Amino acid sequence: MLSVEEALERILAEIRPLDVVQVPLADTLGQVLAQDIVAEEDIPPFDNSAMDGFALLSKDSKTHDGQPPRLRVTGGVAAGYVADHAVEEGTAMRIMTGAPVPPGADTVIQVELTRYDGPESTWVEVLQEVAPGNNIRPAGEDIHRGQTVMVHGTEIGAWEIGILATLGQTSVPVVRRARVAILGTGDEVIDVGEPLQPGKIRNSNSYLLEAAVRQVGAEPKRLGVARDTVESLREKFSEAIQYDLILTSGGVSVGDFDLVKNIMQEQGNINFWRINMRPGKPVAFGHISGVPLLGLPGNPVSSAVTFELFGRPVIRKMQGHTRLLKPQIDVVVEDGVSDNAMRRHYVRARVEWQNGRFIAHTTGNQGSHMMTSLLGANAFVIVPEGGVEVHPGDIARAMMLDWPEV
Ligand code: AMP
Ligand code: MG
């Protein structure tokens, strides 16, 4: 059986980033920039004032005989407008934050360091000497024309969107979002809205996976549930192969009706189908008609956990990300983990920062059918393979699911 690391390495080796598309700026959140962004303009585009105050010549701010100099105010310039005349010796102009510095002026004094007679004042007294360039934000100080502002591979967050907006980038070249087909399997699996019948259970996996796929920024498509026959699976897969990735749940174990592997063999290849972990030993990876297929286990918790470990990094790699894995930190396991599995165990837990330490509380019964063990969990405490026991108060590694990838 493969270790989690070997399995992940074998999967990722088969995954390539998707093609590049031009996307409207506002829709790029979370996507990866596919080209360098070079500024075509200076930012700020013009010298402007950093303060509300008065634009003047710095030499006019020098005191004579201990008296503050008094200048004639010839007008004002607000943000969004351009002064219609220059500032000359012995004069000043009111100026607002963000307004272009009028010609002639070489400095700005903030309003708090002046005395004047209300908004219509025809004079201003300068209470402090100011150096040239004071409170002026020069054109190109932030970004100069021709500068490479962002490199390809950058993950676009809110701050990057702000910078792209400032540069006038109405659309952005990004790696496109993955289209992911989600397929349930099993004669016992019915849709959420159907009444329960004897022997039947609702399709929780497809809905959970759809949401999880969307959380990674990809575009999920639920294709319903295949019956446990090769005919039904073939039919569903003929539709699924139109997507970038196929996620199935169930049907990959050693039961009489676990037929997903048969189809993989028939129409593609199986790279592997078992991993030395718990929950989630039966995880299959391979291709169908050239489309990567990740066959997740049917047990809902196994399916959720293995999606985090394998599905999420696969989709991120497809979407151009280079940071693929959730960070791992040391935590104090307050309640311990009593069972000693020979396989590596990913124990659902709530990790919180308390009194200067990260403390983990496991989330109850850890059976792979116990969906409630997912509730409130934000981490997996990782219990190494080989029957290692974690006693209350022991330190263990935890994979932080609600932290960004590193
Ligand atoms: P399998 O690997 O197909 O034998 O499924 C393992 C377990 O997961 C069985 O108890 C199935 O009933 C259950 N299961 C399979 N698919 C789903 C699903 N889509 N939603 C919820 N449970 C499922
Ligand atoms: Mg099944």
Side-chain angles (χ1 to χ4, degrees), residues 9 17 59 72 82 92 120 155 168 185 223 227 246 253 267 271 311-312 332 356 361 406:
E9 205 174 295
K59 64 177 186 205
R72 188 161 60 83
V82 176
E120 302 301 323
E155 186 173 327
T185 69
L223 298 184
R227 304 278 74 111
I246 306 169
S253 194
Q267 300 180 13
N271 190 312
R312 178 179 268 278
V332 180
H361 289 272
V406 289

Coordinates of all heavy atoms in Angstrom, one line a residue, residues 9 17 59 72 82 92 120 155 168 185 223 227 246 253 267 271 311-312 332 356 361 406:
E9 N 2.3 12.3 -4.5 CA 3.4 12.5 -5.5 C 3.0 11.9 -6.9 O 3.1 12.5 -7.9 CB 4.7 11.9 -5.0 CG 5.9 12.5 -5.6 CD 7.1 11.9 -4.9 OE1 7.3 12.1 -3.7 OE2 7.9 11.3 -5.6
P17 N -1.2 22.3 -15.2 CA -2.1 23.4 -15.1 C -2.9 23.6 -16.4 O -2.5 23.2 -17.5 CB -1.1 24.6 -15.0 CG 0.2 24.0 -14.5 CD 0.2 22.6 -15.1
K59 N 10.1 78.6 -0.3 CA 10.9 79.7 0.2 C 9.9 80.8 0.8 O 10.4 81.6 1.7 CB 11.7 80.3 -0.9 CG 11.0 80.9 -2.0 CD 11.9 81.5 -3.0 CE 11.1 82.2 -4.1 NZ 11.7 82.4 -5.3
R72 N -1.1 85.6 -0.1 CA -2.3 85.9 -0.7 C -2.9 84.6 -1.3 O -2.1 83.9 -2.0 CB -2.2 86.9 -1.8 CG -3.4 87.5 -2.4 CD -3.2 88.8 -3.1 NE -2.2 88.6 -4.2 CZ -2.5 88.2 -5.4 NH1 -3.7 87.9 -5.7 NH2 -1.5 88.0 -6.3
V82 N -8.1 70.4 -12.0 CA -6.8 70.9 -12.3 C -6.8 72.4 -12.1 O -7.7 73.0 -12.5 CB -6.3 70.5 -13.7 CG1 -5.0 71.1 -14.0 CG2 -6.3 69.0 -13.9
A92 N -0.5 81.6 -2.4 CA -0.8 80.2 -2.1 C -2.1 79.8 -2.7 O -2.9 80.7 -3.0 CB -0.8 79.9 -0.6
E120 N -13.4 80.9 2.5 CA -13.2 81.9 1.5 C -12.1 82.9 1.7 O -12.0 83.9 1.1 CB -14.5 82.7 1.3 CG -15.8 81.9 1.0 CD -15.6 81.1 -0.3 OE1 -15.0 81.6 -1.2 OE2 -16.1 79.9 -0.3
E155 N -1.1 34.6 -6.8 CA -2.5 34.3 -6.5 C -3.2 35.6 -6.3 O -2.8 36.5 -5.5 CB -2.5 33.5 -5.2 CG -3.9 33.0 -4.9 CD -4.0 32.0 -3.7 OE1 -3.0 31.2 -3.6 OE2 -4.9 32.0 -3.0
G168 N -5.8 49.9 -14.5 CA -6.7 49.9 -15.6 C -6.9 48.6 -16.3 O -7.3 48.5 -17.5
T185 N -21.9 6.8 -6.6 CA -22.2 5.4 -7.1 C -22.9 4.6 -6.0 O -22.7 4.9 -4.8 CB -20.9 4.7 -7.4 OG1 -20.2 4.4 -6.2 CG2 -20.0 5.4 -8.4
L223 N -23.2 14.9 -11.4 CA -23.8 14.1 -12.5 C -24.7 13.0 -12.0 O -25.0 12.1 -12.7 CB -22.6 13.5 -13.3 CG -21.7 14.5 -14.0 CD1 -20.7 13.7 -14.9 CD2 -22.5 15.5 -14.9
R227 N -25.7 3.5 -11.0 CA -26.1 2.3 -10.3 C -24.8 1.4 -10.3 O -23.8 1.6 -11.0 CB -27.2 1.6 -11.1 CG -28.5 2.4 -11.2 CD -29.3 2.4 -10.0 NE -28.8 3.1 -8.9 CZ -29.2 4.3 -8.4 NH1 -30.3 4.8 -8.9 NH2 -28.7 4.9 -7.4
I246 N -12.5 14.1 -12.9 CA -13.7 13.3 -12.4 C -13.5 12.9 -11.0 O -12.4 12.3 -10.6 CB -13.9 12.1 -13.3 CG1 -14.0 12.4 -14.8 CG2 -15.2 11.3 -12.8 CD1 -13.9 11.2 -15.7
S253 N -13.7 -0.1 -3.7 CA -13.1 -1.0 -2.7 C -13.1 -2.5 -3.2 O -13.0 -2.6 -4.5 CB -13.9 -0.9 -1.4 OG -13.2 -1.5 -0.3
Q267 N -11.4 1.6 -19.9 CA -11.3 2.8 -20.7 C -10.2 3.7 -20.4 O -10.1 4.8 -20.9 CB -12.6 3.6 -20.5 CG -13.9 2.8 -20.9 CD -15.2 3.6 -20.7 OE1 -15.2 4.8 -20.5 NE2 -16.3 2.9 -20.8
N271 N -3.7 3.9 -11.8 CA -2.3 4.2 -11.3 C -2.2 3.5 -9.9 O -1.2 2.8 -9.7 CB -2.1 5.7 -11.2 CG -0.7 6.1 -10.9 OD1 -0.1 5.5 -10.0 ND2 -0.2 7.0 -11.6
G311 N -7.8 15.7 -3.4 CA -8.6 16.4 -4.4 C -8.2 17.9 -4.4 O -8.1 18.5 -5.5
R312 N -8.1 18.5 -3.2 CA -7.8 19.9 -3.2 C -6.5 20.2 -3.8 O -6.4 21.1 -4.7 CB -7.9 20.3 -1.7 CG -7.6 21.7 -1.4 CD -7.7 22.0 0.1 NE -9.0 22.4 0.5 CZ -9.4 23.7 0.4 NH1 -8.5 24.6 -0.1 NH2 -10.6 24.1 0.7
V332 N -1.0 20.5 21.1 CA -1.1 19.6 22.3 C -2.5 19.0 22.1 O -3.5 19.6 22.0 CB -1.1 20.5 23.5 CG1 -1.2 19.6 24.8 CG2 0.2 21.3 23.6
G356 N -1.2 30.7 24.7 CA 0.1 30.6 24.1 C 0.4 29.3 23.5 O 1.6 29.0 23.1
H361 N -8.7 19.4 20.3 CA -9.7 18.5 20.9 C -10.3 17.7 19.7 O -10.7 18.2 18.7 CB -10.9 19.3 21.5 CG -10.5 20.1 22.7 ND1 -10.6 19.5 24.0 CD2 -10.0 21.3 22.9 CE1 -10.2 20.3 24.9 NE2 -9.8 21.5 24.3
V406 N 0.6 26.3 2.0 CA 2.0 26.8 2.0 C 2.8 26.1 0.9 O 2.4 25.0 0.5 CB 2.6 26.7 3.4 CG1 2.0 27.6 4.4 CG2 2.5 25.2 3.9

